[in-house]
């Protein structure tokens, strides 16, 4: 089991920043604005306010590097898809994320967050395809699982899987792993820990 001993926000990169080069492994987390990415990061890192949880979507507009245990990095990518965000910021997000996915030599795995209650959006599918195009099969974290009855979760997970596979340009033949997650109940946290621990031992 992965044990979080210490964590701190080490580097923040904007659209014009040069991305850091690390020797320690990196795990990237991507998702639509307001999908619950900050809640997930806080839950994984056992912190209440490490990543800011905001009622206003689109808060994360930078790439944030969290140093964990002086052993690996958790990389919080900009949230996407918030309509009220300015055009210039929107234009910067895509290149920022694509640049990171394509140029970080220490990136070991990508986690893509989607809302378990809905079909993955066109932007979710675009991100899924970007990740595949860059040589990774993203682990899918289906957030807000506490909003469903437990009996509804398996069907919702199957729906997310089927939509990603059928509507993706590249994902028809890939094995898609979907982890239902809740920040309220911590459902899925240990499974995500297990994935990260396995990747770290490779």
């Amino acid at each position: 089991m992965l044990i979080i001993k210490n964590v701190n926000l080490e580097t923040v990169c904007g659209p014009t920043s040069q991305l850091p080069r690390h020797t320690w492994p990196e795990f990237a987390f991507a998702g639509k604005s307001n999908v619950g990415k900050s809640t997930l990061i806080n839950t994984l890192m056992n912190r209440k306010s490490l990543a800011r949880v905001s009622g206003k979507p689109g808060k994360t507009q930078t790439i944030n590097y969290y140093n964990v245990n002086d052993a690996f990095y958790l990389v919080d990518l900009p949230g996407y898809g918030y309509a009220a965000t300015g055009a210039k910021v929107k234009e910067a997000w895509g290149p920022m994320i694509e640049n990171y996915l394509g140029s970080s030599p220490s990136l070991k795995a990508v986690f893509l967050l989607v809302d378990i209650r809905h079909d993955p959006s066109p932007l979710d599918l675009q991100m899924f395809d970007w990740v595949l195009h860059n040589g990774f099969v993203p682990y899918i974290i289906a957030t807000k699982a506490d909003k469903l009855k437990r009996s509804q979760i398996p069907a919702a997970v199957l729906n997310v899987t089927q939509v990603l596979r059928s509507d993706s340009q590249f994902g028809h033949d890939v094995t898609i792993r979907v982890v239902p997650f809740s920040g309220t109940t911590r459902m899925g946290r240990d499974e995500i820990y297990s994935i990260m621990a396995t990747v770290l031992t490779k």
Side-chain angles (χ1 to χ4, degrees):
M1 174 63 67
L2 192 67
I3 298 174
I4 307 301
K5 297 177 181 178
N6 56 75
V7 55
N8 66 280
L9 177 59
E10 183 175 291
T11 307
V12 176
C13 292
T16 60
S17 302
Q18 183 174 352
L19 299 178
R21 289 292 183 262
H22 295 133
T23 55
W24 294 332
E26 296 173 2
F27 295 95
F29 290 77
K32 191 165 59 176
S33 298
N34 211 28
V35 74
K37 188 152 50 71
S38 294
T39 297
L40 170 69
I41 290 170
N42 288 333
T43 302
L44 290 177
M45 299 297 104
N46 293 319
R47 302 292 191 276
K48 290 185 178 180
S49 57
L50 181 69
R52 281 198 205 169
V53 179
S54 174
K56 184 178 180 180
K59 190 74 174 178
T60 303
Q61 299 177 5
T62 53
I63 299 177
N64 300 331
Y65 292 79
Y66 295 93
N67 178 331
V68 184
N69 295 346
D70 287 331
F72 64 91
Y73 288 91
L74 188 157
V75 183
D76 182 10
L77 299 177
Y80 52 83
Y82 183 48
T85 303
K88 288 186 178 180
V89 175
K90 285 183 184 178
E91 289 173 5
W93 285 355
M96 280 175 69
I97 294 172
E98 282 193 287
N99 180 40
Y100 172 77
L101 293 175
S103 66
S104 178
S106 297
L107 179 59
K108 299 302 181 185
V110 180
F111 294 86
L112 175 59
L113 282 65
V114 300
D115 190 325
I116 196 171
R117 301 169 297 175
H118 308 294
D119 288 355
S121 71
L123 285 173
D124 292 329
L125 287 160
Q126 183 181 35
M127 177 61 69
F128 183 72
D129 283 343
W130 277 357
V131 176
L132 288 172
H133 179 70
N134 282 282
F136 297 91
V137 178
Y139 297 98
I140 308 302
I141 302 177
T143 63
K144 307 188 180 184
D146 55 285
K147 304 295 184 182
L148 300 179
K149 296 178 181 177
R150 290 190 75 89
S151 60
Q152 296 174 310
I153 291 176
V157 166
L158 179 60
N159 178 65
V160 168
T161 304
Q162 290 177 334
V163 171
L164 288 173
R165 183 169 286 129
S166 64
D167 293 358
S168 164
Q169 295 183 53
F170 310 109
H172 303 89
D173 299 320
V174 302
T175 299
I176 299 173
R177 181 170 178 176
V178 180
V179 180
F181 174 80
S182 165
T184 301
T185 67
R186 297 191 173 188
M187 172 192 291
R189 185 189 67 168
D190 288 350
E191 187 173 350
I192 297 168
Y193 280 165
S194 178
I195 292 169
M196 296 172 73
T198 299
V199 171
L200 287 170
T201 57
K202 288 182 179 179

